[in-house]
């Protein structure tokens, strides 16, 4: 299998340049000008490879290599190309362009698929725009309904419908959901976003399970006042209640009894945000994950209990809204072992592992048999401009993916 490692590296760099942040950072927010430009760039790449491209009502892109028996459920692969602010150039992109190069490598060697092979670029994997991640794959899998999606608004109050039609998407949201049995399998190649593969010197991670993400928006209402004249006993400072709650999130994760529980207060806003004004309001967004649902639910209950006691002690109101609360996904064992076979067939080392980040695979696992293959990234860094995967690591991932696609589509 001859993957064009240099060409793939060039394409990753070309796509990284379509960003609202200066290099080496990549920012490509859903339905932004950069996202729209990146979609056009990708469409051209898919067409140049002879794939037939279609886009659904929310901007999921499908690039199909028709098989000789096109009526059979296709083999799907892909990932996302949107990027959170000041991210890196491999998250998601490695799985979309790696899939494209895997298809081109199979074309170059004269492979003729019996089942069609379809590359999917999922819209909105990142939660940046609407606060909810995996919008495209949630709608494809039916986890998110059309009515809920239509209600989504971004921080400026712009509606999902307004933004998607502005980005050139058309069609009803009801038309997005995939029919059961539409795909034989779905494989996603992705950087690990953790340090295990690099530390162990292993080429490929065969993902067995994808951790369950939950996210909460917390609004805290205290009472503001003059920083000089309002004496301490009379204060109901929302920012201090928020600070205590953020520490409670950390404690709940550390004391859950499992190393797999992670809690992050990634958004922490206070108002009026002025040095000489006692904060009246605070907004937090909390990300809580675990590979085990019951352990995550217990951690959530601990955080809620902490919020109740903080609210009482500090005489503030604390409202907790669930943004999402998803179950973990098990990858399909037949596909996981097939990925291991493909690593052996291509001279790559492999070990089985868990994905602690969520991916579109979390939802595609509800549509069809699904598995992921990870490639190492430097120090496990991700969601930061110095995110890096070597040309060799990306090429090995594309090679193993190509071998797996050939097995599934033959
Ligand atoms: O947050 C995540 O796990 C993914 O990178 N969106
Ligand atoms: Mn990401
Ligand atoms: Mn990703």
């Amino acid at each position: 299998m001859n993957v064009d490692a240099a060409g793939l590296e060039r394409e990753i760099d070309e796509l990284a340049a379509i960003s609202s942040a200066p290099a080496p950072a990549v920012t490509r927010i859903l339905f932004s000008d950069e996202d729209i430009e990146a979609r056009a760039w990708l469409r051209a790449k898919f067409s140049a490879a002879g794939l037939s491209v279609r886009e659904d009502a929310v901007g999921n892109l499908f690039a199909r290599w028709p098989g000789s028996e096109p009526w059979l459920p296709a083999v799907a692969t892909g990932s996302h190309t949107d990027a959170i602010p000041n991210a890196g150039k491999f998250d998601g992109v490695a799985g979309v362009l790696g899939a494209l190069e895997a298809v081109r490598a199979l074309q170059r060697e004269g492979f003729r698929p019996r089942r069609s092979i379809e590359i999917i670029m999922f819209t909105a994997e990142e939660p940046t725009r609407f606060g909810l991640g995996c919008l495209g794959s949630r709608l494809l899998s039916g986890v998110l309904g059309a009515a809920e999606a239509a209600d989504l608004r971004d921080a400026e109050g712009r509606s999902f419908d307004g933004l998607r039609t502005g980005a050139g998407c058309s069609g009803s949201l009801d038309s997005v959901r995939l029919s059961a049995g539409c795909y034989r399998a779905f494989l996603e190649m992705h950087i690990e976003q953790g340090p295990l593969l690099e530390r162990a010197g292993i080429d490929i991670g065969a993902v067995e399970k994808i951790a369950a993400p939950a996210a909460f928006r917390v609004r805290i209402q205290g009472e503001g006042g003059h920083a000089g004249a309002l004496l301490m006993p009379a204060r109901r400072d929302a920012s201090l209640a928020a600070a205590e709650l953020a520490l409670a999130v950390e404690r709940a994760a550390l004391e859950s009894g499992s190393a797999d529980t992670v809690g992050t207060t990634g958004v922490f806003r206070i108002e009026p945000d002025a040095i000489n004004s006692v904060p009246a309001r605070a907004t937090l967004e909390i990300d809580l994950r675990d590979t085990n649902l019951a352990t995550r639910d217990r951690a959530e209950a601990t955080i809620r209990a902490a919020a109740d006691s903080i609210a009482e002690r500090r005489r503030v109101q604390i409202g907790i809204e669930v943004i999402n609360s998803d179950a973990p996904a098990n990858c399909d064992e037949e596909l996981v072992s097939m990925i291991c076979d493909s690593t052996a067939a291509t001279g790559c080392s492999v070990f089985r592992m868990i994905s602690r980040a969520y991916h579109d695979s979390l939802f595609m696992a509800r549509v069809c048999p699904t598995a992921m293959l990870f490639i190492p990234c430097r120090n496990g860094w991700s969601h930061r401009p110095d995110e890096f995967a070597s040309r060799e690591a990306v090429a090995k991932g594309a090679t193993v993916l190509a071998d797996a696609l050939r097995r599934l589509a033959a």
Side-chain angles (χ1 to χ4, degrees):
M1 190 81 62
N2 64 334
V3 157
D4 176 2
L8 181 46
E9 184 179 57
R10 267 195 312 275
E11 287 176 334
I12 290 172
D13 288 341
E14 253 183 74
L15 183 49
I18 306 176
S19 159
S20 58
V26 177
T27 299
R28 206 163 35 240
I29 307 301
L30 173 69
F31 297 147
S32 64
D33 293 344
E34 297 74 31
D35 181 39
I36 294 166
E37 189 188 337
R39 289 163 184 272
W41 179 88
L42 201 55
R43 274 176 168 278
K45 286 287 174 184
F46 285 153
S47 305
L51 308 180
S52 67
V53 186
R54 74 175 179 88
E55 185 170 26
D56 72 9
V58 293
N60 291 307
L61 273 185
F62 303 85
R64 180 165 287 224
W65 179 11
S68 56
E69 297 176 24
W71 55 86
L72 293 174
V75 177
T77 180
S79 191
H80 64 98
T81 57
D82 58 330
I84 71 170
N86 295 312
K89 62 185 177 182
F90 295 92
D91 176 3
V93 168
V96 175
L97 296 182
L100 176 57
E101 180 50 27
V103 161
R104 288 184 302 217
L106 289 169
Q107 289 173 339
R108 282 195 292 268
E109 74 164 27
F111 174 68
R112 282 285 299 129
R114 188 164 67 89
R115 291 177 182 277
S116 301
I117 294 176
E118 184 148 85
I119 303 173
I120 306 175
M121 187 227 72
F122 296 92
T123 200
E125 192 273 350
E126 297 292 3
T128 313
R129 170 72 81 176
F130 291 106
L132 180 62
C134 296
L135 272 187
S137 48
R138 285 177 192 270
L139 281 159
L140 287 170
S141 60
V143 165
L144 182 70
E148 288 167 270
D151 284 346
L152 291 169
R153 292 196 173 281
D154 70 4
E156 280 75 44
R158 284 173 295 200
S159 72
F160 183 63
D161 265 347
L163 282 164
R164 75 181 177 98
T165 43
C169 302
S170 59
S172 83
L173 290 176
D174 291 303
S175 65
V176 173
R177 181 162 188 179
L178 293 172
S179 51
C182 60
Y183 288 126
R184 159 67 184 81
F186 174 70
L187 295 180
E188 181 171 8
M189 168 178 156
H190 203 287
I191 53 171
E192 180 196 340
Q193 299 177 303
L196 304 182
L197 289 173
E198 183 187 52
R199 269 190 209 146
I202 298 281
D203 298 320
I204 299 291
V207 175
E208 297 182 301
K209 189 168 191 182
I210 303 168
F216 309 92
R217 184 171 296 110
V218 181
R219 299 189 201 290
I220 300 178
Q221 179 66 49
E223 190 173 50
H226 192 286
L230 181 57
L231 298 181
M232 300 307 280
R235 292 187 178 195
R236 296 194 294 129
D237 185 328
S239 72
L240 298 178
E244 279 201 50
L245 188 55
L247 289 170
V249 169
E250 180 192 41
R251 199 167 43 252
L254 287 170
E255 294 171 3
S256 77
S258 160
D260 289 339
T261 317
V262 286
T264 312
T265 303
V267 171
F268 191 119
R269 283 194 292 267
I270 59 175
E271 297 169 69
D273 196 20
I275 182 170
N276 57 349
S277 175
V278 177
R281 280 172 306 288
T283 302
L284 304 181
E285 290 185 4
I286 297 166
D287 180 310
L288 181 68
R289 309 187 195 196
D290 197 300
T291 54
N292 177 295
L293 203 47
T295 314
R296 193 195 72 197
D297 287 348
R298 278 199 303 278
E300 179 187 342
T302 306
I303 292 164
R304 287 178 180 278
D308 292 345
S309 93
I310 292 164
E312 194 186 336
R313 197 162 18 83
R314 288 185 170 274
R315 296 178 296 120
V316 296
Q317 279 87 40
I318 299 184
I320 301 178
E321 173 202 347
V322 177
I323 300 170
N324 64 282
S325 179
D326 300 298
N330 290 312
C331 292
D332 178 85
E333 178 47 39
E334 183 212 359
L335 292 180
V336 177
S337 52
M338 194 206 62
I339 286 170
C340 295
D341 295 343
S342 291
T343 55
T346 53
C348 293
S349 53
V350 65
F351 73 33
R352 290 167 171 255
M353 62 194 297
I354 288 168
S355 172
R356 299 184 186 286
Y358 63 74
H359 304 280
D360 292 303
S361 292
L362 183 68
F363 299 100
M364 288 303 285
R366 298 168 187 237
V367 174
C368 63
T370 291
M372 294 190 76
L373 50 151
F374 277 171
I375 59 172
C377 54
R378 183 166 54 199
N379 299 325
W381 291 338
S382 181
H383 281 191
R384 41 191 277 186
D386 51 4
E387 176 184 278
F388 179 78
S390 71
R391 176 194 292 194
E392 296 69 34
V394 177
K396 281 182 181 173
T399 302
V400 171
L401 178 62
D403 184 272
L405 291 175
R406 181 172 50 195
R407 291 167 190 259
L408 285 163

